[in-house]
Amino acid sequence: MPLDPHGIDWDETGREAVELFKGLLRLDTTNPPGNENRAAEYLAEALSEDGLDPWIVESAPGRANLVVRLPATVDTPTGGPLLLAGHTDVVPAQAARWTHPPFSGAEEDGHIWGRGAVDMKNMVAMSTMVAKLMARSGRERKRDLIVAAVADEEAGCGHGSKFLVDNHPSRVNAEFMLGEVGGFWLNIGPQSYIPIMVAEKGSVHLRMTARGPSGHGSIPRPDNALVQLASAIETLGKNRLPYHLSPVMEDFIRKLADTQPLPASMGLKSLLNSRLSGPVLDKILPDPSISRNFNALLHNTVSPTVMHAGSNRNVIPGEASCDLDGRTLPHFNGQDLKREVERCIDDPAIDIEVVSEAPAVQANPIGSPLLDTITDTLAVHAPDAIPAPYMIPGHTDARFFSRLGMRCYGFAPLKLDPDSDLVFSDLFHGVDERVPVDGFVWGQRVLYDVVSRFLAK
Ligand SMILES: [Zn+2]
């Protein structure tokens, strides 16, 4: 029976965690509409079994957020709280395409199946279990532990992390946060890595507008606003904005390059060179999805997403505009992105405005005692895998929690065996989202060890 130094029987505790997780997967919290109150009530019951007293607040009917705090047990805490944060909503699933129904929480073939298995009911269940184990153990805590299970991450966070940060900041404010996206095993060739998110890109809503004379559709004209706009969109589609190598990506790429065999290591090293990176992204990287991801992490980007122009087929519109979904690297703002887009399209007749923006998030400084605890713990539980701090092109609840000044990391540990064909990025929002039972229990144990070691510091 695998007892650890804290007297936890991990066979038994692993089973308990798996059952808690499966129960959470069985609750349909598809967003929209959300119905996260189902998850909040379920978790509250699990927490109260161990004498904890969770607080639940609804931001709208059915949109419940749960927060539970385990105060420090010492008179003088060594630092601010540690927040474990996860969202309980999930993206829609087309049941007909799944091997096991998406809200079955089925345990079959050594896997636990269900929408949210990796995004991110696993982390919510593990965090809840950590709180239960901490309460049960009565171990000394040198800082507060907060667990938050929030609504609405998949549709903008307005009913979840943003609501809590705006309306109840003292409930969730912490020095450090652990959430998504990281902690999973990324197996490339002969080497496994464990990415730890330390930064996420910002987002900027740009609107690009062309103006021209309106007129009758029967008499075409080259200064048609739509024609001008189309040309600008085409230029953006065919060109990259300038290359920027952030310290996070430089370290991440170097780590991969130094541990991959040829020719992959050569290709990766070339990404560190501003002149070579373009050709490598276009022609050398074998997998288009990897290439697109590196492209997004080495540049500010814009994707044209919504067009507005015209109302009558026979009237040339006097104005045409296009919304651009802009994403910025750390240390760039909306005006920087606007300038890069202006330079790229090089057409003074096109007007570009910054409609709204949310800056990138980056742990500052990146290193911390918590990050050290994570890497030390991984050295015990995954000695052959390489922890690799990285950045994601999208955003998570960290966007809002970081506004309170906390340092946010993406670390929801999950072991995906190098011999299996499970790839984290395919599971995320994918059909047949699932996790290996032993990989989930590995994650539970790692998360508990990280938290208990950190709270003992
Ligand atoms: Zn998520």
Side-chain angles (χ1 to χ4, degrees):
M1 168 180 313
L3 284 173
D4 81 349
H6 305 154
I8 293 177
D9 175 343
W10 278 103
D11 278 346
E12 211 171 280
T13 303
R15 267 330 297 175
E16 186 183 353
V18 164
E19 292 308 319
L20 179 74
F21 177 36
K22 284 158 62 179
L24 189 58
L25 287 172
R26 285 188 200 111
L27 306 172
D28 184 347
T29 50
T30 302
N31 185 9
N35 291 319
E36 296 93 341
N37 56 324
R38 295 171 178 167
E41 284 158 19
Y42 173 76
L43 297 170
E45 196 180 319
L47 290 161
S48 59
E49 283 166 8
D50 283 286
L52 293 165
D53 187 17
W55 174 76
I56 293 180
V57 61
E58 283 196 338
S59 49
R63 312 305 302 271
N65 297 278
L66 174 146
V67 181
V68 66
R69 179 183 297 257
L70 286 77
T73 58
V74 295
D75 291 337
T76 316
T78 52
L82 168 64
L83 168 66
L84 305 181
H87 62 84
T88 55
D89 62 320
V90 296
V91 293
Q94 281 180 283
R97 298 177 59 201
W98 285 56
T99 307
H100 301 285
F103 297 101
S104 62
E107 186 174 344
E108 297 280 349
D109 316 319
H111 292 81
I112 302 161
W113 302 65
R115 175 56 88 218
V118 303
D119 180 22
M120 59 178 299
K121 286 180 171 173
N122 60 329
M123 180 62 171
V124 174
M126 291 191 300
S127 302
T128 303
M129 200 64 210
V130 166
K132 285 164 69 69
L133 291 170
M134 292 300 296
R136 232 175 261 177
S137 74
R139 298 183 69 224
E140 184 178 73
R141 293 185 293 272
K142 292 187 175 165
R143 45 175 100 213
D144 291 9
L145 172 67
I146 306 171
V147 173
V150 305
D152 201 29
E153 194 274 343
E154 300 292 0
C157 312
H159 289 292
S161 54
K162 181 175 187 301
F163 169 81
L164 289 173
V165 164
D166 288 347
N167 298 285
H168 304 281
S170 63
R171 293 278 183 176
V172 288
N173 202 1
E175 185 175 0
F176 295 103
M177 187 210 87
L178 287 184
E180 58 181 351
V181 178
F184 55 90
W185 284 47
L186 174 66
N187 306 308
I188 305 177
Q191 183 61 54
S192 296
Y193 306 88
I194 301 182
I196 302 163
M197 190 193 86
V198 297
E200 54 185 48
K201 286 180 87 177
S203 69
V204 179
H205 175 182
L206 290 182
R207 182 165 296 150
M208 194 161 71
T209 303
R211 293 183 181 86
S214 51
H216 199 279
S218 62
I219 304 174
R221 43 190 312 154
D223 52 1
N224 178 329
L226 260 171
V227 174
Q228 295 181 58
L229 184 68
S231 157
I233 292 171
E234 186 184 18
T235 304
L236 285 175
K238 288 189 170 160
N239 294 280
R240 288 195 174 88
L241 300 179
Y243 170 93
H244 304 290
L245 183 61
S246 62
V248 171
M249 285 310 293
E250 180 170 2
D251 287 354
F252 180 69
I253 291 171
R254 231 177 256 293
K255 234 170 214 177
L256 297 189
D258 289 348
T259 48
Q260 285 294 310
L262 287 166
S265 62
M266 280 280 284
L268 286 161
K269 278 209 179 91
S270 305
L271 291 177
L272 299 170
N273 180 307
S274 62
R275 277 175 304 112
L276 297 178
S277 82
V280 169
L281 290 170
D282 288 336
K283 302 201 176 77
I284 305 212
L285 286 185
D287 181 338
S289 117
I290 290 178
S291 174
R292 281 195 296 269
N293 271 282
F294 275 120
N295 176 62
L297 295 169
L298 293 169
H299 305 82
N300 296 318
T301 61
V302 287
S303 290
T305 48
V306 181
M307 304 260 282
H308 316 265
S311 53
N312 281 26
R313 189 181 55 82
N314 62 356
V315 179
I316 293 173
E319 187 174 305
S321 67
C322 175
D323 288 343
L324 302 175
D325 181 358
R327 302 296 173 130
T328 47
L329 295 161
H331 309 301
F332 290 88
N333 63 26
Q335 291 301 324
D336 298 325
L337 181 65
K338 177 184 158 176
R339 273 191 292 277
E340 289 191 349
V341 170
E342 281 170 345
R343 233 169 275 147
C344 179
I345 60 178
D346 192 23
D347 182 349
I350 304 279
D351 196 47
I352 296 168
E353 68 175 306
V354 177
V355 179
S356 64
E357 63 179 299
V361 172
Q362 182 170 299
N364 184 24
I366 289 165
S368 69
L370 177 59
L371 193 57
D372 292 344
T373 306
I374 291 173
T375 50
D376 292 350
T377 305
L378 289 175
V380 175
H381 291 284
D384 297 328
I386 298 175
Y390 82 132
M391 172 159 50
I392 63 163
H395 76 88
T396 67
D397 287 314
R399 168 170 295 177
F400 297 101
F401 286 128
S402 66
R403 290 184 183 173
L404 296 175
M406 55 185 103
R407 265 192 272 178
C408 299
Y409 297 101
F411 185 72
L414 170 67
K415 182 171 183 177
L416 299 173
D417 202 89
D419 299 328
S420 86
D421 53 2
L422 290 184
V423 176
F424 184 82
S425 57
D426 296 344
L427 297 167
F428 205 84
H429 294 196
V431 171
D432 282 345
E433 188 176 346
R434 63 194 185 280
V435 297
V437 177
D438 53 2
F440 169 79
V441 174
W442 177 89
Q444 176 69 73
R445 190 165 179 178
V446 169
L447 187 66
Y448 176 77
D449 279 2
V450 165
V451 172
S452 59
R453 282 173 182 224
F454 186 64
L455 294 182
K457 277 187 178 174

